[in-house]
Structure formats: structure tokens, C-alpha cells
Amino acid sequence: AQKVTQAQTEISVVEKEDVTLDCVYETRDTTYYLFWYKQPPSGELVFLIRRNSFDEQNEISGRYSWNFQKSTSSFNFTITASQVVDSAVYFCALSEATGGFKTIFGAGTRLFVKA
Amino acid sequence: DTAVSQTPKYLVTQMGNDKSIKCEQNLGHDTMYWYKQDSKKFLKIMFSYNNKELIINETVPNRFSPKSPDKAHLNLHINSLELGDSAVYFCASSQELSRGGYTFGSGTRLTVV
């Protein structure tokens, strides 16, 4: 059965600090996809990144970077030089081939960035 | 030119009523979904349609019935509303069945009183 664990319920940092959001997943499939989404206080859900299970290359997009490690079943998200606008709930999600690629979400990590 | 639009944005209704939430996407995506987000922000899939065909039907009370007249629309009808149905309901679409990133609608906040 698939499972996504975001152990950090809330994180609070001061602006310009770096912060890493952890995501650990469980799956028996060899083919699966991992995602991160952002939900700012306004409530919309914004897609950030997708990774497939065959691509362990880390990715950087501006201040955002993602570290995918199959050996530890983790897909962590780092924000460098955090800004107040990064304050949001961040969700990690997993979609696996078994069950028709149903996507399940972790419980989310609420990030507070203080000025 | 909203990509995924849901109406209404807010819905306040009494227990026992029947209500519908509409969703439309103009992205040309093949797959559409309904998710429920509870008060603790937990997101749970309810339904998934691919080219108007029901693909995923989670353990959802049969008071909830999705309808997809075409691949650009996926509406959600709820009968006999209960207090526990209060939540934010998100519609989403993706190009590939759950392999592509979702584009979400802005959500419908349903409050049952």
C-alpha cells in the first residue's frame, strides 16, 4: 500500500534562513511518481514539481531544490533564503502504477517564514 | 481564461439538502478529479475520471455522485448533506492519469449547518 509521511507538522523560520521539508514514502511499485504542491494562505493548490521513480537526478529551480533518494525513500524539498511569501502548507504526494496511478497526499507541512 | 474553474466558491446549506458543485477545465486534459480537504488540511481523493470514464471511486458515501458529460467537465452532486460533509472540495485535472502534475481549481468551501 502506498503511504506518504511528512513528519514535520509545522516549521517556523526567520526570513533568509534555509529550510528543508521532509517527505518519506512507501510503495511496492517500481514505477511511481512523486510530487510537491504548495498551498498558500489564499487556499489554492499549486503544483511545484514531479519526479518519476527512474529519475533520481536532483532538481533546482531558483531558490527551490529537491533531493530524491530511493535508498531512503525520501523526496525532500529545500527552500534557500526563505521569504515571507514562502509561508504556506506544502504537500508531498505519491502516485503509483498499482491502483491506476491514484495520487495520495501527505498530511502537509505548514511553513511560517517570519520577517 | 481560468484553467480549472469551480463554482460556487462558497456554499452554505442546511442538513438534508442536495447540492452540486461544477467544474470545468480548458486545458484539454484527459483526466479530472475530485479531492476533499478536511479542516486539518488533509487531502483525500474521491473520484477520478479519464475521458468521461470513472477510473477511481474511493470509499465515498453513495450520496456523492460525480457526473462527467464530457472530458472538460466533472460535476459533483451531493444528496442529503450531513454536517460531516463540511470541507473544501477541489477539482483538478491532469494530462496523464495521475502521472502528470495536477492543475487544481480554487476550491469550493462547503459548510453544512
Side-chain angles (χ1 to χ4, degrees):
Chain A
Q2 56 184 133
K3 187 178 177 182
V4 177
T5 302
Q6 295 181 254
Q8 303 149 308
T9 306
E10 288 187 1
I11 301 175
S12 186
V13 299
V14 177
E15 220 174 8
K16 297 184 184 176
E17 281 186 25
D18 299 347
V19 58
T20 295
L21 311 181
D22 298 333
C23 174
V24 174
Y25 62 92
E26 291 179 30
T27 178
R28 293 179 184 171
D29 279 20
T30 56
T31 300
Y32 54 90
Y33 295 81
L34 294 162
F35 308 84
W36 276 95
Y37 289 85
K38 174 182 179 179
Q39 187 172 39
S42 51
E44 73 271 23
L45 282 155
V46 180
F47 165 72
L48 296 178
I49 190 171
R50 176 185 80 164
R51 261 288 171 267
N52 74 57
S53 51
F54 301 108
D55 181 5
E56 280 193 80
Q57 192 171 8
N58 291 330
E59 179 148 344
I60 298 175
S61 176
R63 296 182 297 106
Y64 294 172
S65 62
W66 291 270
N67 184 355
F68 176 26
Q69 294 200 341
K70 290 177 75 170
S71 60
T72 55
S73 296
S74 65
F75 186 42
N76 296 338
F77 173 28
T78 297
I79 302 175
T80 304
S82 59
Q83 299 176 0
V84 172
V85 292
D86 295 327
S87 296
V89 179
Y90 291 87
F91 293 95
C92 181
L94 165 69
S95 174
E96 60 180 18
T98 303
F101 284 106
K102 178 176 67 176
T103 300
I104 65 159
F105 285 74
T109 297
R110 185 180 295 273
L111 174 65
F112 295 97
V113 181
K114 295 178 284 191
Chain B
D1 58 345
T2 304
V4 180
S5 59
Q6 288 179 238
T7 55
K9 191 170 176 62
Y10 300 97
L11 187 52
V12 181
T13 188
Q14 290 187 328
M15 280 176 55
N17 284 350
D18 302 340
K19 290 293 178 186
S20 292
I21 306 172
K22 295 185 176 181
C23 180
E24 176 182 3
Q25 56 97 2
N26 62 5
L27 298 166
H29 287 169
D30 291 332
T31 313
M32 296 184 73
Y33 314 82
W34 278 108
Y35 274 80
K36 178 180 180 180
Q37 185 173 45
D38 63 23
S39 58
K40 295 184 179 179
K41 294 288 190 180
F42 187 67
L43 276 160
K44 185 170 168 54
I45 190 167
M46 300 174 69
F47 302 103
S48 165
Y49 269 74
N50 183 254
N51 278 318
K52 302 194 299 175
E53 180 185 347
L54 181 64
I55 301 296
I56 294 170
N57 184 352
E58 284 297 281
T59 309
V60 175
N62 57 16
R63 299 181 293 105
F64 290 79
S65 55
K67 285 187 172 49
S68 182
D70 54 62
K71 74 173 193 176
H73 296 83
L74 180 60
N75 304 323
L76 184 64
H77 189 75
I78 315 169
N79 289 329
S80 303
L81 278 155
E82 300 176 357
L83 292 177
D85 297 331
S86 296
V88 180
Y89 292 84
F90 284 97
C91 177
S93 71
S94 69
Q95 182 59 35
E96 302 167 89
L97 180 58
S98 285
R99 282 164 283 185
Y102 290 173
T103 302
F104 280 92
S106 57
T108 295
R109 182 175 294 276
L110 171 65
T111 304
V112 182
V113 297

